[in-house]
Amino acid sequence: MPAGEVGIATPPMSDTEKPSIGAVIAVSGFCISVNEISARLYSLCVDDDACVPLREGQIDPELPVHSVTYDDVLSFINWLNKATGHEYRLPSEAEWQHAALGGIDDPFPWRTEGRLPQANIFSDKLVPVGTTSVNEFGVRDMVGNLIEYVADCFTLNVEQLPTEGAPFVDHDCETRLAKGGYYSAPSYGLSPYFRFPLPSYFGSPQLGFRVVRKTRVEISND
């Protein structure tokens, strides 16, 4: 993922509004997993007794893993780092949004003809990882399929965000942040600018994650 700048905004509340940019963040180059983390990959962590076992509705190996809490995500990342010898982590909000926009300042990329023709939006179910159209940076499902955890604590005041692209971390961080509208989200939630606050203990069939690392190596998610 190339370095760049990204504008963090008050998200639009309809698919005709333009976001109101509140902070411009410089983002260094990084690598991000092409797909959302799959249940197949997450199950390897479960098999090593390092992650909480998946429930019946989570175990389809072809689908992205979902209904995991923030602590579940951290357990998976700790396992992944030990298993690979690399340093993976959740993306910051700025990194996630930079990857989602694909280098184009388009608040509703699914409305732009030819950009995301196979995005899983306005539907009634998840689709398997690796089956949707890719954006200009080669990543899938940054819009639709699942909303995704990022590393940040939630703040309404985007001017608090670190200017170098690191996550915003509050002292207690009772409210986390997720990005990237899920498969049945309303249109305003399908903007890469949309910011979704949620409790750290929250898990939902519409919520998953992907990981990043600083070197030029990507991982397979299926």
Side-chain angles (χ1 to χ4, degrees), residues 129-203:
V129 297
T131 58
T132 62
S133 54
V134 299
N135 74 5
E136 289 76 9
F137 284 160
V139 291
R140 301 178 186 269
D141 293 318
M142 302 297 283
V143 173
N145 221 31
L146 288 177
I147 195 169
E148 301 174 14
Y149 271 117
V150 294
D152 299 59
C153 305
F154 177 76
T155 176
L156 282 172
N157 181 10
V158 298
E159 293 181 356
Q160 290 183 299
L161 301 181
T163 56
E164 74 281 6
F168 170 74
V169 180
D170 201 350
H171 68 282
D172 54 8
C173 207
E174 293 182 356
T175 306
R176 309 300 316 191
L177 178 64
K179 301 275 287 184
Y182 53 94
Y183 56 89
S184 60
S187 58
Y188 64 82
L190 294 169
S191 171
Y193 290 95
F194 188 73
R195 312 176 74 239
F196 188 82
L198 72 172
S200 60
Y201 58 79
F202 185 75

Side-chain angles (χ1 to χ4, degrees), residues 14 28 51 55 59 70 75 87 92 107 125 139 145 155 162 184-185:
S14 76
S28 301
C51 285
R55 297 182 295 277
I59 59 177
Y70 188 80
S75 294
E87 294 186 10
S92 69
K125 63 181 180 179
V139 291
N145 221 31
T155 176
S184 60

Side-chain angles (χ1 to χ4, degrees), residues 40-51 74-88 213 219-220:
R40 184 191 303 278
L41 181 56
Y42 191 91
S43 293
L44 298 179
C45 178
V46 175
D47 292 344
D48 279 351
D49 295 322
C51 285
L74 294 185
S75 294
F76 171 83
I77 292 175
N78 287 336
W79 167 83
L80 183 63
N81 289 342
K82 291 176 182 177
T84 63
H86 299 302
E87 294 186 10
Y88 293 100
R213 58 176 292 190
I219 66 168
S220 173

